[in-house]
Amino acid sequence: SFLIGAESGRQETLDIINKQIKVEDLINLTKKCKEYGFKIYFSFMIGLPLPPERMKEYPIYARKEFLGLVNIIDRILKIEKDHMFYLSIYTPFPGTPLYEDSKKVGFKEPKSLEEWGEIDFNQVRLPWLPKKYYGLMDQLSTLYIPFLTGSIFRKTKNYGILGKLARAVCYAVYPLILFRWKTKCFNLPLEYYTLKLSKIVYRRLYPRKQYGN
């Protein structure tokens, strides 16, 4: 397998960051990789700023960007379900044109090495990105991708009786998750909250062993 920095499922965004590829290139690559038996680790993100003069339209742009991500993932999975996905929120990096735009539209530049050390792909908060998209991105990573790729069913095979019980529950909610995905209905995701809670309970019952113990 190999990593592809796909970045976005919308052509407008790919053009803004001068990616020099087309959305259809990603689809064609997926088809070629299936033909030759390669697996891909796709990296996507949302939250890129628009030029300052266009930021008033950002709420509409953010929705289109998220739905574009959902659509490209759906198209990829219809070709091959065994690919992997890494989803993140855009992080401004110094020395890039987008970094300067980010400062102009509200990004607070870290002032020390310690403040820079606190920034990572999953924790950065962008003042222009509506809060709900942080939760939606976590839904994709935590709930939809594991179910749609089948990885959650494979993982539960490794946990004995508890795994069998978890797998039975997963199969029970699978039709609902498919329905939500097909209709793009991500509101009131009770199954998402249940999955998050079950992971917390499991980690407390079976804490990871620390090295050296």
Side-chain angles (χ1 to χ4, degrees):
S1 63
F2 53 93
L3 175 66
I4 294 294
E7 315 305 1
S8 177
R10 291 194 72 228
Q11 191 60 50
E12 180 183 6
T13 301
L14 295 175
D15 292 342
I16 288 174
I17 63 176
N18 195 28
K19 189 68 177 178
Q20 298 183 1
I21 63 172
K22 302 295 184 183
V23 171
E24 289 305 312
D25 292 337
L26 299 174
I27 299 303
N28 292 333
L29 174 65
T30 305
K31 293 176 180 177
K32 281 292 183 182
C33 285
K34 180 177 182 179
E35 181 180 348
Y36 291 102
F38 291 107
K39 305 303 179 188
I40 307 173
Y41 202 138
F42 288 98
S43 174
F44 288 100
M45 64 180 171
I46 66 169
L48 289 161
L50 290 172
E53 64 273 13
R54 292 186 55 196
M55 286 303 291
K56 289 182 179 180
E57 64 188 80
Y58 201 87
I60 296 175
Y61 173 83
R63 174 174 171 76
K64 290 180 178 179
E65 180 71 1
F66 178 75
L67 292 179
L69 173 60
V70 170
N71 287 334
I72 192 68
I73 291 175
D74 187 57
R75 293 182 67 187
I76 290 170
L77 292 177
K78 285 178 178 177
I79 298 169
E80 175 59 66
K81 292 185 180 297
D82 287 341
H83 296 307
M84 297 170 286
F85 299 86
Y86 176 73
L87 309 181
S88 64
I89 303 296
Y90 164 70
T91 300
F93 283 101
T96 64
L98 283 176
Y99 185 76
E100 297 305 316
D101 282 347
S102 297
K103 290 195 297 182
K104 291 176 183 178
V105 296
F107 175 69
K108 294 183 178 179
E109 184 177 29
K111 301 300 182 182
S112 67
L113 186 61
E114 289 75 15
E115 289 182 3
W116 275 112
E118 295 174 356
I119 292 181
D120 66 40
F121 289 111
N122 298 311
Q123 294 180 357
V124 64
R125 293 293 173 180
L126 305 173
W128 57 85
L129 184 65
K131 183 178 179 180
K132 67 178 181 180
Y133 291 105
Y134 292 90
L136 286 170
M137 289 292 279
D138 193 54
Q139 278 192 54
L140 295 188
S141 297
T142 303
L143 182 68
Y144 290 98
I145 297 300
F147 272 89
L148 295 172
T149 61
S151 64
I152 196 167
F153 301 109
R154 294 189 291 272
K155 287 180 180 179
T156 53
K157 291 181 179 179
N158 302 322
Y159 296 100
I161 295 177
L162 186 61
K164 290 182 179 179
L165 177 61
R167 192 157 60 252
V169 174
C170 289
Y171 277 115
V173 301
Y174 185 56
L176 174 59
I177 291 170
L178 280 181
F179 172 79
R180 282 184 175 276
W181 182 256
K182 290 177 180 178
T183 60
K184 299 179 176 60
C185 179
F186 303 113
N187 295 325
L188 299 175
L190 297 180
E191 62 277 21
Y192 162 71
Y193 295 124
T194 301
L195 179 61
K196 296 273 283 188
L197 178 61
S198 66
K199 286 186 175 182
I200 293 173
V201 172
Y202 179 84
R203 287 168 183 165
R204 289 183 178 178
L205 292 175
Y206 303 97
R208 294 180 178 178
K209 293 183 179 180
Q210 299 296 321
Y211 290 107
N213 292 341

